[in-house]
């Protein structure tokens, strides 16, 4: 009896198992995706890729990513909006091998396992995330360049000369962008605002206050120092260079603690910046170079600054003497290795007025006069050694007849000199050395013809004697020029060294300092 019951129960179970299996098989066949398709309930990010082939899923993903990277980033910089797309920031999205994994869901186990997985996925869903990445370099560039342009630097109170009178303008606050903090805010917003079409960020800025207000600027009202030198207005190109360099320096304001560079103010030495080819020194010879003559501008400014008693940071002499000031009173400009720099070591802004007219170049230095009216200052040039130029240098030219003789450059006497500052106040006089200078001596250059009448080139033999070397004219010993304190409206000092050459040659030697290389660098 028990066996009959057990057999009947077993049969019922078997029938039920068969029925369940048949049902599962039938149901699985109904929900099982094709081998090349993804089962229902699978997403990448928020894209439903159910029932898609690999190609269809990839196309759908690409479209979704393209939409994401075209989203806009808007950064508010102190009330001004700067925008870009995420794509321009190097933003990229990747799903990795999500599509490959999705194709295996519900297909990698036995029938019952696959059926259970497919049913579960249909209810709970599988979502593969997108991984975002961006270019740190591009984000930083966007913040510094585009966002940074919306910021303004603080502007100190301005000073200008109008119709012979100094005028002053108000200072302005500036805004500074905190680059690193703003970058971090952008990254955070990109993570938190993934579903918005426009990602909005507030940039971090701080207010920058100027260091010089109009009250301080208006204390710049006194003429502290002036100087004028003469130039040959007949040398048109050189005159234009002198006028151009003076124009570029004119109207400069040097705030307390700042250092002024003549090289930076008048550069670049190019035709586009208003310069012409004019004589300059180059390896002991006078040659044409763009900007020849600007050293006279630097020299004139140097002497005005000396009389204003500002701090000289850098000054270099010419390689050979110039004719518009006494030895050690000059200041050469050459490339980036010879410059005139001075610092405003006062508590008030310094204003520079400069220009040219009637064959003169001048500079006036304005600031706040704090020196005693009983104080007088003078600068004295002292030549401590004279160096003779030596024998002529003769160059033979086989394209010229033997009778041809031409002086291509006059001799230059060399010097060693010092500049003294002599201050008298309350009946006491002090004498301080300002600088020392050495100027090279250069012989006279003569070109002689070396062509004989038969057409053959004559070769000078070693026994040929050069023409007698003329005795060079020595530059007259400079005289001291006193400048009393305080300065008056007519307080200008003109220094003109006695020339050792003809007027025409003098114009050429008022040129620029020579560079170390063969190419002449404007300086004068």
């Amino acid at each position: 009896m028990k066996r009959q019951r057990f057999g009947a129960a077993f049969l019922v179970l078997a029938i039920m198992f068969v029925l369940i299996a048949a049902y599962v098989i039938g149901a699985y066949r109904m929900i099982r995706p094709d081998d090349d398709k993804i089962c229902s309930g699978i997403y990448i990010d928020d894209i439903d890729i159910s029932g898609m082939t690999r190609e269809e899923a990839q196309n759908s993903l690409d479209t979704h990513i393209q939409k994401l990277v075209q989203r806009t980033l808007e950064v508010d910089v102190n009330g001004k909006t700067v925008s870009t797309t995420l794509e321009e920031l190097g933003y990229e999205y990747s799903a990795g091998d999500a599509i490959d994994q999705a194709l295996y869901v519900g297909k990698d186990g036995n029938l019952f396992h696959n059926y259970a997985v497919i049913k579960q996925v249909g209810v709970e869903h599988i979502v593969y995330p997108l991984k975002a990445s961006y270019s740190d370099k591009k984000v930083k560039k966007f913040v510094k360049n585009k966002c940074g342009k919306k910021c303004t630097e603080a502007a100190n109170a301005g000073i200008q000369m109008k119709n012979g009178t100094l005028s002053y303008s108000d200072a302005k606050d500036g805004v500074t962008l905190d680059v690193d903090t703003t970058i971090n805010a952008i990254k955070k917003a990109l993570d938190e605002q993934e579903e918005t079409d426009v990602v909005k960020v507030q940039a971090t800025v701080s207010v920058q206050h100027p260091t010089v207000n109009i009250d301080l600027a208006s204390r710049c009202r006194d003429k502290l120092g002036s100087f004028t030198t003469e130039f040959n207005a007949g040398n048109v190109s050189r005159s234009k260079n002198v006028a151009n360099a003076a124009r570029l320096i004119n109207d400069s304001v040097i705030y307390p603690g700042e250092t002024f560079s003549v090289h930076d103010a008048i550069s670049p030495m190019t035709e586009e910046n208003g310069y012409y080819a004019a004589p300059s020194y180059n390896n002991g010879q006078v040659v044409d170079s763009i900007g020849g003559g600007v050293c006279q501008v630097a020299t004139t400014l140097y002497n005005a600054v000396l009389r204003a008693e500002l701090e000289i940071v850098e000054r270099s002499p010419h390689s050979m003497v110039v004719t518009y000031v006494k030895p050690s009173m000059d200041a050469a400009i050459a490339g980036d290795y010879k410059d005139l720099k001075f610092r405003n070591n006062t508590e008030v802004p310094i204003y520079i007025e400069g220009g040219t007219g009637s064959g003169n170049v001048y500079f006036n230095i304005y600031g706040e006069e704090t020196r005693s009216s009983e104080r007088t200052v003078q600068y004295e040039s002292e030549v401590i050694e004279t160096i003779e130029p030596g024998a002529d240098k003769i160059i033979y030219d086989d394209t010229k007849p033997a009778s041809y003789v031409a002086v291509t450059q006059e001799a230059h006497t060399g010097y060693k000199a010092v500049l003294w500052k002599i201050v008298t106040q309350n009946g006491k006089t002090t004498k301080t050395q300002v600088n020392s200078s050495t100027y090279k001596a250069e012989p006279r250059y003569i070109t002689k013809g070396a062509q004989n009448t038969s057409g053959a080139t004559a070769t000078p033999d070693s026994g040929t004697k050069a023409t007698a070397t003329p005795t060079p004219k020595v530059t007259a010993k400079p005289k001291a020029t006193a400048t009393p304190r305080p300065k008056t409206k007519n307080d200008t000092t003109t220094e003109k060294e006695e020339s050792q050459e003809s007027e025409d040659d003098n114009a050429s030697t008022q040129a620029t300092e020579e560079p170390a290389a063969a190419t002449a660098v404007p300086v004068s």
Side-chain angles (χ1 to χ4, degrees):
M1 189 69 177
K2 290 183 178 179
R3 290 184 177 179
Q4 289 179 346
R5 291 177 186 173
F6 179 78
F10 179 78
L11 179 61
V12 170
L13 290 173
I15 292 172
M16 289 179 63
F17 178 78
V18 170
L19 291 174
I20 292 172
Y23 172 80
V24 171
I25 291 171
Y28 176 63
R29 286 177 178 176
M30 291 179 63
I31 64 174
R32 181 186 184 277
D34 294 340
D35 289 340
D36 63 343
K37 292 185 178 180
I38 298 167
C39 73
S40 296
I42 298 183
Y43 293 76
I44 296 179
D45 197 29
D46 58 356
I47 302 178
D48 186 356
I49 59 173
S50 302
M52 294 184 182
T53 63
R54 180 193 301 275
E55 184 178 357
E56 290 170 342
Q58 187 64 58
N59 290 338
S60 182
L61 177 61
D62 290 344
T63 301
H64 177 65
I65 289 176
Q66 187 59 30
K67 181 181 177 181
L68 289 177
V69 298
Q70 289 302 320
R71 290 188 300 155
T72 302
L73 169 68
E74 290 185 355
V75 181
D76 185 319
V77 184
N78 197 38
K80 300 174 183 177
T81 300
V82 184
S83 61
T84 186
T85 64
L86 301 193
E87 187 175 33
E88 290 175 340
L89 298 179
Y91 224 86
E92 296 179 348
Y93 289 89
S94 173
D97 61 350
I99 294 177
D100 289 335
Q101 292 183 44
L103 283 167
Y104 283 103
V105 174
K107 301 175 186 176
D108 59 350
N110 58 50
L111 183 148
F112 294 99
H113 171 78
N114 290 343
Y115 175 75
V117 169
I118 292 172
K119 291 294 288 183
Q120 183 180 6
V121 170
V123 175
E124 298 180 0
H125 299 170
I126 294 177
V127 180
Y128 294 101
L130 279 175
K131 294 181 180 180
S133 63
Y134 47 82
S135 169
D136 286 327
K137 184 177 181 181
K138 289 183 178 180
V139 172
K140 187 172 185 177
K141 183 178 180 181
F142 165 74
V143 173
K144 290 184 68 175
N145 295 351
K146 291 190 175 181
C147 297
K149 285 183 179 179
K150 299 300 180 181
C151 294
T152 55
E153 291 188 3
N156 286 322
I159 305 173
Q160 264 192 321
M161 181 71 73
K162 294 182 178 179
N163 300 321
T165 302
L166 288 172
S167 61
Y168 313 93
S169 57
D170 286 328
K172 294 180 181 179
D173 287 339
V175 176
T176 302
L177 176 69
D178 189 325
V179 174
D180 292 336
T181 304
T182 301
I183 288 174
N184 290 334
I186 289 175
K187 292 179 179 180
K188 183 179 180 182
L190 290 172
D191 291 337
E192 294 178 349
Q193 302 178 40
E194 292 181 339
E195 298 181 1
T196 60
D197 291 334
V198 179
V199 179
K200 296 186 177 182
V201 179
Q202 183 70 46
T204 302
V205 297
S206 58
V207 177
Q208 180 186 22
H209 298 291
T211 57
V212 177
N213 58 31
I214 194 168
D215 292 335
L216 181 59
S218 61
R219 288 166 57 185
C220 173
R221 60 182 180 273
D222 305 312
K223 187 185 290 187
L224 304 181
S226 300
F227 203 79
T228 300
T229 61
E230 298 177 11
F231 61 87
N232 181 5
N235 189 330
V236 178
S237 293
R238 187 178 187 280
S239 298
K240 288 180 178 178
N241 290 339
V242 170
N244 187 52
R247 175 187 64 83
L248 292 171
I249 294 173
N250 178 53
D251 212 31
S252 294
V253 178
I254 304 99
Y255 293 101
E258 290 184 347
T259 296
F260 182 82
S261 163
V262 172
H263 172 271
D264 293 348
I266 67 176
S267 293
M269 302 290 183
T270 61
E271 293 178 349
E272 291 76 14
N273 200 29
Y275 292 105
Y276 297 82
S280 62
Y281 287 158
N282 177 32
N283 293 328
Q285 293 183 283
V286 178
V287 299
D288 278 351
S289 66
I290 301 296
V294 300
C295 280
Q296 183 165 355
V297 176
T299 293
T300 307
L301 181 60
Y302 174 56
N303 283 271
V305 171
L306 286 177
R307 283 151 181 78
E309 297 188 80
L310 299 177
E311 178 186 346
I312 302 298
V313 176
E314 180 181 339
R315 170 264 174 190
S316 298
H318 289 73
S319 61
M320 298 185 294
V321 290
V322 294
T323 58
Y324 39 82
V325 289
K326 296 179 175 68
S328 270
M329 288 186 171
D330 61 320
I333 305 292
D336 57 1
Y337 59 92
K338 283 190 178 183
D339 193 5
L340 171 63
K341 295 180 181 179
F342 60 92
R343 192 174 74 89
N344 179 1
N345 56 342
T346 74
E347 297 179 353
V348 174
I350 293 295
Y351 177 82
I352 303 176
E353 178 190 26
T356 58
S358 303
N360 293 317
V361 55
Y362 70 91
F363 282 104
N364 298 317
I365 309 294
Y366 291 88
E368 182 179 50
E369 183 61 84
T370 58
R371 296 168 293 189
S372 169
S373 60
E374 298 179 357
R375 174 188 174 89
T376 61
V377 177
Q378 71 180 60
Y379 291 90
E380 181 179 294
S381 168
E382 179 185 1
V383 174
I384 57 178
E385 183 180 343
T386 300
I387 307 166
E388 299 301 334
D392 294 347
K393 285 190 177 180
I394 300 175
I395 300 171
Y396 291 90
D397 187 345
D398 59 12
T399 66
K400 304 291 184 183
S403 59
Y404 178 86
V405 178
V407 177
T408 54
Q409 180 174 302
E410 293 289 350
H412 289 261
T413 302
Y415 299 97
K416 289 185 179 180
V418 295
L419 182 64
W420 298 98
K421 178 181 180 180
I422 303 171
V423 179
T424 301
Q425 186 171 354
N426 299 326
K428 182 180 179 181
T429 299
T430 59
K431 185 175 182 180
T432 307
Q433 183 175 323
V434 177
N435 66 45
S436 62
S437 307
T438 299
Y439 305 93
K440 294 193 302 184
E442 286 292 333
R444 187 171 65 159
Y445 284 77
I446 298 175
T447 299
K448 286 189 174 185
Q451 185 183 73
N452 62 20
T453 56
S454 66
T457 300
T459 302
D461 60 51
S462 59
T464 303
K465 294 182 179 179
T467 55
T469 303
T471 302
K473 298 176 182 178
V474 179
T475 305
K477 187 173 182 179
K479 298 177 181 180
T481 303
T483 304
R485 292 290 176 194
K487 299 295 185 181
T488 66
K489 290 184 179 179
N490 297 320
D491 177 27
T492 59
T493 304
T494 301
E495 297 275 0
K496 182 177 181 183
E497 182 179 7
E498 196 174 308
S499 175
Q500 57 188 11
E501 299 150 347
S502 68
E503 183 176 352
D504 289 342
D505 289 335
N506 180 27
S508 70
T509 58
Q510 295 180 17
T512 64
E513 177 58 20
E514 84 285 8
T519 304
V521 175
V523 188
S524 135

